[in-house]
Amino acid sequence: MIDLKLLRDQPDVVRASQVARGDDPALVDQILDADARRRSALVEFETLRAEQKSHGKKVAQASSPEERTELLAHTKQLAEQVKAYEKDAAEAGETLDALLMKVSNVVADGVPAGGEDDYVVLREVGARRDFAAEGFEPRDHLELGEMLRAIDTERGAKVSGSRFYYLTGIGARLELALLNAAVDKALEHGFTPMITPTIVNPQIMRGTGFLGAHADEIYRLEADDQYLVGTSEVALAGYHSDEIVDLSAGPLRYAGWSACYRREAGSYGKDTRGIIRVHQFHKVEMFSYARVEDAAAEHERLLALEEEMLALVGLPYRVIDTAAGDLGSSAARKFDCEAWLPTQQRFLELTSTSNCTTFQARRLGVRERVENAEGKVETRAVATLNGTLATTRWIVAILENHQQPDGSVRVPEGLRPYLGGLEVLTPVTA
């Protein structure tokens, strides 16, 4: 949720953020109006309630029946006015809260303006293979996966419908190797591994910002009024909801391993071949609770770990600074790492890391104790950050970038210890 104090004090900053995202800046004025109405009603309510209490004492001290009757009549009138202003304040408060939930996080300084195609490339790492120079045409990941008996989309569709699949044999082993390597990377850097729930309550899903413009991407369990998560970020963000956390020793860092579910609504015909854009997958997700002052540095730390994982599996990739209109409502800044996909001659997103500042924590009630300028201890919202460390989609890039002319695939050195030292994945001919 947006910081109401920031919106009051610097409305132009929030308006500019809304414009950069392509959202409605008029929401800012609507919020300010609702806030003013609520505060005005509260002032009237408190003033009249104080007068009501004062009249109660005067009734008890009335010197005659006539005076008592007159005072009682006025007290009744005050009571009706108090109720009216209390109702006005409550209604204005509800309007204010509803409007605040519509405003996306304030975009960080330096984020590119624009939409999906207006990102800025920060760097490109690793050399793209020249398959023409090597004398063969690269196969796509699905053809390779079928040759290796690693991916079965036909039976996945038969059992569950389109965009479902089986990872079989070496495919299943490859995913487990990748995710276990990610957990080891997280452990190495002080993250607590977590196996998280994949079904969450509405207040948690709403608190993370996923029930906004892209709510149609989420599977809802109507009978139970719950949701299937699209990332363990949701469950990890809710882990400390309505709690005061201790960040005196640094950020709290978690790495969640979970199944993830996405409806992929509105993406018909896009990346439908293979396992690029599917309804179910597995992922290891980093999540940090940090002090506001430490959030930018923590963001860089998460990005560095993602790049370490990409180096571990030997993929050429680039890092992009995502434009404001493509951030999602919770993020103030987002970096994506995209691996080169040789058969499509394009980059494919493998990781994202977002700094959500205090946006999610305000909604979920995650706070820390701090000492203010007067030396008094008070509570304030913390910052939350997330970042992908590995996911099923990585198999796409691993197979295509490490393939050989005969359809075999060299195992990246970083994954060999997780596959019993296996160096090459060999097509199954029988």
Side-chain angles (χ1 to χ4, degrees):
M1 181 179 291
I2 196 75
D3 182 354
L4 182 55
K5 185 177 185 302
L6 171 66
L7 192 144
R8 286 173 184 158
D9 295 344
Q10 302 180 62
D12 287 342
V13 170
V14 184
R15 287 191 192 96
S17 176
Q18 290 286 98
V19 170
R21 287 178 173 274
D23 292 344
D24 186 4
L27 268 175
V28 175
D29 296 304
Q30 293 172 29
I31 290 170
L32 291 172
D33 179 63
D35 182 43
R37 285 189 287 113
R38 181 182 65 92
R39 289 197 285 175
S40 176
L42 282 173
V43 168
E44 293 291 344
F45 166 71
E46 295 292 349
T47 301
L48 288 171
R49 189 169 63 171
E51 187 178 348
Q52 182 186 24
K53 289 179 180 179
S54 173
H55 266 73
K57 295 178 182 178
K58 291 180 180 179
V59 170
Q61 298 168 358
S63 59
S64 68
E66 293 79 7
E67 183 183 5
R68 178 182 176 83
T69 300
E70 184 180 343
L71 288 169
L72 282 171
H74 188 53
T75 300
K76 182 180 179 181
Q77 184 183 14
L78 284 172
E80 291 172 353
Q81 290 177 309
V82 165
K83 285 182 181 178
Y85 279 112
E86 186 176 25
K87 182 182 178 183
D88 288 348
E91 290 177 350
E94 289 174 5
T95 300
L96 176 63
D97 290 342
L99 289 169
L100 284 170
M101 293 294 279
K102 292 181 179 180
V103 180
S104 299
N105 201 356
V106 175
V107 174
D109 290 341
V111 170
E116 184 179 358
D117 298 324
D118 297 308
Y119 56 82
V120 171
V121 177
L122 300 180
R123 54 187 169 275
E124 187 171 335
V125 180
R128 309 178 200 176
R129 282 177 66 183
D130 185 347
F131 286 93
E134 295 181 37
F136 74 100
E137 184 76 19
R139 297 177 172 90
D140 78 359
H141 75 281
L142 182 56
E143 184 179 354
L144 292 165
E146 290 174 341
M147 293 174 69
L148 297 168
R149 299 271 180 90
I151 302 171
D152 190 336
T153 56
E154 287 189 13
R155 290 186 175 91
K158 177 179 71 174
V159 171
S160 300
S162 63
R163 302 193 190 225
F164 285 93
Y165 58 95
Y166 286 87
L167 293 181
T168 61
I170 194 60
R173 291 181 62 196
L174 185 58
E175 178 177 85
L176 289 170
L178 182 62
L179 297 178
N180 275 297
V183 170
D184 282 351
K185 177 65 67 177
L187 278 168
E188 178 188 343
H189 290 274
F191 287 75
T192 300
M194 309 273 275
I195 303 293
T196 63
T198 56
I199 298 175
V200 299
N201 294 326
Q203 65 268 28
I204 301 301
M205 187 65 81
R206 189 176 299 109
T208 52
F210 284 98
L211 291 185
H214 299 288
D216 60 349
E217 288 287 326
I218 300 166
Y219 284 104
R220 182 166 184 257
L221 306 176
E222 299 285 345
D224 303 298
D225 190 22
Q226 291 182 306
Y227 295 89
L228 293 175
V229 301
T231 167
S232 62
E233 171 195 343
V234 178
L236 293 171
Y239 188 63
H240 287 298
S241 59
D242 298 318
E243 294 181 17
I244 297 175
V245 296
D246 183 3
L247 301 179
S248 59
L252 296 176
R253 300 184 175 107
Y254 301 103
W257 180 326
S258 76
C260 304
Y261 305 89
R262 296 184 185 177
R263 292 187 61 239
E264 293 293 351
S267 61
Y268 301 106
K270 186 177 182 182
D271 289 332
T272 55
R273 179 172 166 79
I275 61 170
I276 292 177
R277 193 179 292 271
V278 292
H279 293 307
Q280 177 183 331
F281 55 95
H282 288 93
K283 181 168 67 156
V284 174
E285 180 82 358
M286 300 176 288
F287 194 89
S288 298
Y289 295 90
R291 289 183 167 177
V292 174
E293 297 84 359
D294 300 332
E298 185 70 4
H299 199 194
E300 293 291 343
R301 178 188 176 92
L302 298 186
L303 177 59
L305 294 183
E306 291 177 340
E307 293 193 67
E308 285 184 25
M309 274 298 299
L310 288 163
L312 186 79
V313 298
L315 293 177
Y317 67 92
R318 70 181 183 184
V319 180
I320 66 169
D321 193 354
T322 307
D326 196 32
L327 285 177
S329 64
S330 297
R333 187 165 214 158
K334 179 164 75 81
F335 301 119
D336 289 350
C337 293
E338 302 178 328
W340 179 247
L341 200 59
T343 62
Q344 296 187 26
Q345 290 292 294
R346 70 177 178 96
F347 285 96
L348 174 69
E349 179 196 323
L350 294 191
T351 79
S352 287
T353 177
S354 298
N355 180 2
C356 296
T357 59
T358 61
F359 187 83
Q360 293 176 330
R362 288 180 188 282
R363 292 173 169 228
L364 292 167
V366 187
R367 297 154 292 151
E368 65 165 334
R369 289 190 175 91
V370 294
E371 191 175 288
N372 63 23
E374 290 75 38
K376 294 181 180 179
V377 175
E378 59 185 14
T379 62
R380 66 171 185 177
V382 304
T384 60
L385 304 97
N386 62 79
T388 310
L389 207 47
T391 187
T392 305
R393 184 185 279 190
W394 287 43
I395 293 173
V396 173
I398 289 171
L399 294 181
E400 292 205 9
N401 282 281
H402 293 295
Q403 65 179 291
Q404 301 185 106
D406 62 354
S408 63
V409 177
R410 289 190 61 80
V411 177
E413 289 188 18
L415 292 185
R416 292 176 188 175
Y418 300 92
L419 289 168
L422 188 64
E423 295 184 7
V424 179
L425 310 181
T426 306
V428 178
T429 55

